[in-house]
Amino acid sequence: MNNSYSIKIEWSVVYECIISLYAFIHEKERKHLQLGNAWMEETKKQLPDAFADELADERWEVLHRLVLLVAQSPQKKSVDDFLGWLGSIPPGEIYERLAPWVDTIPLNLGELRDHSVSLLARWNEHYFSKLAPAILASLERSAAEMAKQAQNMSPIELVDHASNGLWIEPVPELREVVLIPQYHCAPTSVLDFYRGLATCLYPVKDAGQAQSQPLTELLPLTQCLADEKRLHILRCLAEKNCTLGELQQQVSLAKSTVHHHVTALRRAGLIRAHYVGSTTVSSYSLRESFVDRLPVLLRSFLHSRK
C-alpha cells in the first residue's frame, strides 16, 4: 500500500457558483447548512418568479461531474468564461474529459451540458454575480492558507484539518485529493471519489466576516455535548474506532438515530469519519483536538465584543 496521496488546492469562483446553486436546489441538504432556509427565502426574492418556480422543481444532479470539468477547464477566471468554454466544447470532448474518472457517463451529454449552462448562467445573473466580494476573497485566502499548511502537514492531516473531521485513508488506487474551499454548503464538506481521485469541497464557515466568530464553531460543539446519547458515543469512540453498527449496539438506539447523532458530531468537529476509497463511511473515531479547542473557543467568545 502507498503511504499517502498527493494534495492539490484548487480555487475558482466557478466552484462557488456551482455549489451555491446546488445548496439552493437540494432542500434535504439545506436543513443541515449554516445558511439554512432564511438564506433560501431571501435569495428567492432576488430571482424572477418563473426562474424560482423552475428551480423549485429542478433535480439537478451534475454537481460532481461539473467539478471535474472546472478542474480541467482553461477558462475559469469568471463564471462567464467557464460557461462560454463549456457551451462551446462538443459532447465527445466532455466524454473524453470525464472518461478517465467516471464509470458511468450519460449518453445525453450535450443535453445535460446545455441545461447546466442555462441554469448556471441565469443563477449567476440573478444571484451569484451579486454575492458580496468579501466572501469570495475569504475563500481565495483560505486556499492560499491551505497551500502553506500543506508544506508542514501530511495530506491526511491537511484534509482532516480543512474538512473538520474527514479522514481519507490512503489506498493503492487513490493518487490525489483535490481540496476546494466553499461557503454555501458550510458546515458540510462535499466529498466524492473517482478513479484515483477524490474531490473535497471543504467549508469556510466565516467567509466574508472581518474576523473569525467563535460562536460559529462554539455553538454546534456545545449543542452536541448537551445530549446524553452523544456523550455516550464520544466515550465509546474514546476507547476505540467503531463502525455505525458497533455504536448502535453500544448506545441501544435505532441505526437511523445513531446516524443522526454521529452526523451532528462530525459536522461539529468532535469526531472523524473514516473513508476508504468511497463515500461510504467505514468507521468513526474521536477527534481529541476538540477537548483542547473547547476552552479556547469559550474564552474567546466570553471576551469578544458584542
Side-chain angles (χ1 to χ4, degrees):
M1 177 181 291
N2 59 344
N3 292 325
S4 190
Y5 38 77
S6 64
I7 287 283
K8 182 179 181 181
I9 315 294
E10 272 273 310
W11 158 243
S12 165
V13 294
V14 183
Y15 289 114
E16 194 61 26
C17 181
I18 291 170
I19 204 164
S20 64
L21 177 57
Y22 180 81
F24 185 85
I25 288 174
H26 290 273
E27 185 175 356
K28 288 183 179 180
E29 297 294 328
R30 198 185 309 124
K31 64 183 179 181
H32 301 300
L33 305 184
Q34 180 177 289
L35 292 175
N37 287 323
W39 165 76
M40 189 274 290
E41 293 299 332
E42 284 300 313
T43 301
K44 191 175 179 179
K45 295 175 184 177
Q46 298 178 232
L47 308 178
D49 291 342
F51 187 39
D53 291 342
E54 181 182 346
L55 292 180
D57 296 327
E58 180 59 48
R59 296 295 177 264
W60 191 62
E61 294 287 354
V62 296
L63 167 70
H64 303 145
R65 291 190 177 99
L66 277 176
V67 166
L68 283 173
L69 290 175
V70 176
Q72 298 178 57
S73 174
Q75 302 291 334
K76 53 186 173 185
K77 286 187 176 180
S78 72
V79 175
D80 288 337
D81 285 348
F82 172 74
L83 294 180
W85 172 80
L86 181 60
S88 68
I89 61 175
E93 183 176 340
I94 298 176
Y95 181 91
E96 290 174 0
R97 288 178 178 274
L98 294 178
W101 314 114
V102 181
D103 290 319
T104 57
I105 302 175
L107 296 176
N108 59 335
L109 275 177
E111 180 183 332
L112 288 173
R113 175 204 61 196
D114 294 345
H115 182 57
S116 294
V117 168
S118 173
L119 286 178
L120 286 167
R122 288 178 287 161
W123 177 253
N124 184 48
E125 176 186 357
H126 298 297
Y127 170 74
F128 190 73
S129 63
K130 300 176 176 63
L131 190 68
I135 293 175
L136 300 176
S138 293
L139 297 178
E140 188 171 11
R141 282 197 303 273
S142 177
E145 290 166 5
M146 286 298 163
K148 290 181 181 178
Q149 292 177 357
Q151 300 173 16
N152 302 311
M153 300 176 72
S154 72
I156 298 174
E157 291 171 333
L158 186 67
V159 173
D160 174 58
H161 170 69
S163 64
N164 205 29
L166 300 191
W167 194 265
I168 301 180
E169 301 282 0
V171 292
E173 59 271 21
L174 182 59
R175 297 188 298 274
E176 183 177 65
V177 174
V178 182
L179 286 176
I180 303 159
Q182 56 86 13
Y183 166 70
H184 281 83
C185 280
T188 299
S189 293
V190 181
L191 177 66
D192 211 347
F193 285 82
Y194 311 93
R195 299 173 187 166
L197 174 71
T199 57
C200 178
L201 288 93
Y202 69 86
V204 181
K205 300 175 187 177
D206 53 3
Q209 297 178 359
Q211 58 184 16
S212 178
Q213 302 294 319
L215 189 61
T216 303
E217 188 177 350
L218 179 63
L219 188 59
L221 195 154
T222 52
Q223 286 173 334
C224 281
L225 293 175
D227 186 284
E228 181 181 356
K229 291 297 184 181
R230 291 176 186 176
L231 287 172
H232 281 301
I233 290 172
L234 290 175
R235 188 165 63 180
C236 291
L237 294 177
E239 296 178 359
K240 66 184 183 77
N241 289 22
C242 294
T243 64
L244 186 64
E246 289 169 340
L247 287 174
Q248 181 192 9
Q249 292 175 355
Q250 292 286 338
V251 296
S252 302
L253 293 172
K255 184 173 284 190
S256 59
T257 304
V258 177
H259 184 267
H260 169 73
H261 286 317
V262 296
T263 300
L265 289 166
R266 220 296 301 148
R267 286 198 181 101
L270 278 71
I271 67 174
R272 290 188 179 93
H274 293 251
Y275 295 87
V276 184
S278 78
T279 54
T280 301
V281 178
S282 63
S283 65
Y284 298 91
S285 66
L286 185 68
R287 200 163 181 251
E288 294 190 7
S289 59
F290 90 84
V291 178
D292 297 322
R293 180 71 174 151
L294 178 57
V296 174
L297 287 170
L298 185 58
R299 194 174 295 111
S300 177
F301 171 71
L302 291 176
H303 297 288
S304 62
R305 295 182 179 180
K306 293 182 181 180

